[in-house]
Amino acid sequence: MKNILSSVENVVWKTNGSIYKVLIEDEELLKNLESKIKSSIDDNVSYKTNVKGSMTGWKTFLQDKDFKKLLSIYFDICSIDKIMEQYKSKKDGLFHLNVIEAWGNVLKKQDKVIRHQHLGVSWSSILYFDNYANLKTDAGDIETKRGLVVTLPSYLSHWVEPIQKNVERCSLAWNWSFIPDWIRNEKIDG
């Protein structure tokens, strides 16, 4: 794992972690998801969170068939074994993917995303539909492009500077963790 620089109020420290990048090349899937984001904007949450732009509800995509297809493609391409290495030493058995939230964002000129983290889960992933603005992180800038999924450790601060062009920057984000089979079974049985 590479070292990630992180800072809070001018204090800087190194921590272990990795950023994963996967390119999704299914253009039909990308068009479907982008269209669903733009048609599902929720005024009850838009401009009221760290996303100072339009967004869907937090759980909009959890049951969406195209989002489930995206997850399937993502985990087929992604080196899931590398992500899973940190879990192997805990308890033997299977792990299940637990997506907590999945929502879309649309940023227009002067919209931005305030610096934040996604604590309470293990990972946060973002699918980009364009290259209008880099993702800023405490580990450095990440150049975005259509179909790129970036997966960050939940503790890594990230943000988007105000959009300078007259465009619509669209993205789909989701928070997730792996749940060990033995914990999942306890929840089902209990």
Side-chain angles (χ1 to χ4, degrees), residues 11-190:
V11 177
V12 178
W13 67 92
K14 288 185 178 182
T15 185
N16 285 330
S18 294
I19 296 171
Y20 298 91
K21 296 179 186 176
V22 170
L23 187 62
I24 306 296
E25 297 181 298
D26 184 332
E27 187 57 34
E28 181 181 349
L29 177 63
L30 294 173
K31 285 179 182 177
N32 288 346
L33 288 167
E34 185 175 19
S35 175
K36 288 177 182 182
I37 291 167
K38 291 179 179 181
S39 67
S40 300
I41 296 300
D42 185 345
D43 291 337
N44 292 319
V45 291
S46 293
Y47 295 92
K48 296 176 183 162
T49 70
N50 60 307
V51 177
K52 300 307 176 192
S54 300
M55 62 183 286
T56 70
W58 296 107
K59 298 184 183 287
T60 298
F61 288 92
L62 288 181
Q63 300 303 318
D64 184 87
K65 67 179 178 66
D66 288 319
F67 178 68
K68 289 179 180 181
K69 181 178 179 183
L70 169 67
L71 291 179
S72 176
I73 293 170
Y74 172 76
F75 284 111
D76 279 348
I77 296 172
C78 183
S79 181
I80 199 67
D81 291 338
K82 287 184 180 179
I83 297 175
M84 288 299 295
E85 281 175 13
Q86 65 186 299
Y87 298 97
K88 287 181 181 175
S89 63
K90 293 191 177 169
K91 185 164 182 164
D92 294 332
L94 296 174
F95 290 83
H96 298 271
L97 175 67
N98 185 25
V99 177
I100 310 300
E101 301 156 323
W103 68 98
N105 301 310
V106 177
L107 302 181
K108 297 178 181 175
K109 190 171 185 175
Q110 296 305 312
D111 289 350
K112 63 184 178 180
V113 178
I114 295 172
R115 186 175 185 268
H116 67 285
Q117 300 128 352
H118 293 261
L119 301 178
V121 296
S122 300
W123 302 96
S124 183
S125 296
I126 311 107
L127 167 64
Y128 296 96
F129 295 92
D130 52 60
N131 63 348
Y132 296 138
N134 288 347
L135 174 66
K136 305 282 190 175
T137 79
D138 283 349
D141 287 7
I142 298 173
E143 190 174 328
T144 63
K145 66 180 179 178
R146 186 168 184 80
L148 181 67
V149 176
V150 176
T151 298
L152 309 170
S154 63
Y155 56 80
L156 182 62
S157 292
H158 56 282
W159 63 96
V160 178
E161 297 290 336
I163 304 299
Q164 298 301 313
K165 298 178 182 176
N166 192 18
V167 295
E168 288 187 334
R169 178 187 185 270
C170 194
S171 60
L172 173 62
W174 63 98
N175 291 330
W176 59 280
S177 297
F178 287 112
I179 296 180
D181 197 41
W182 58 274
I183 288 178
R184 183 174 177 263
N185 289 337
E186 285 177 8
K187 288 181 179 182
I188 292 171
D189 295 340

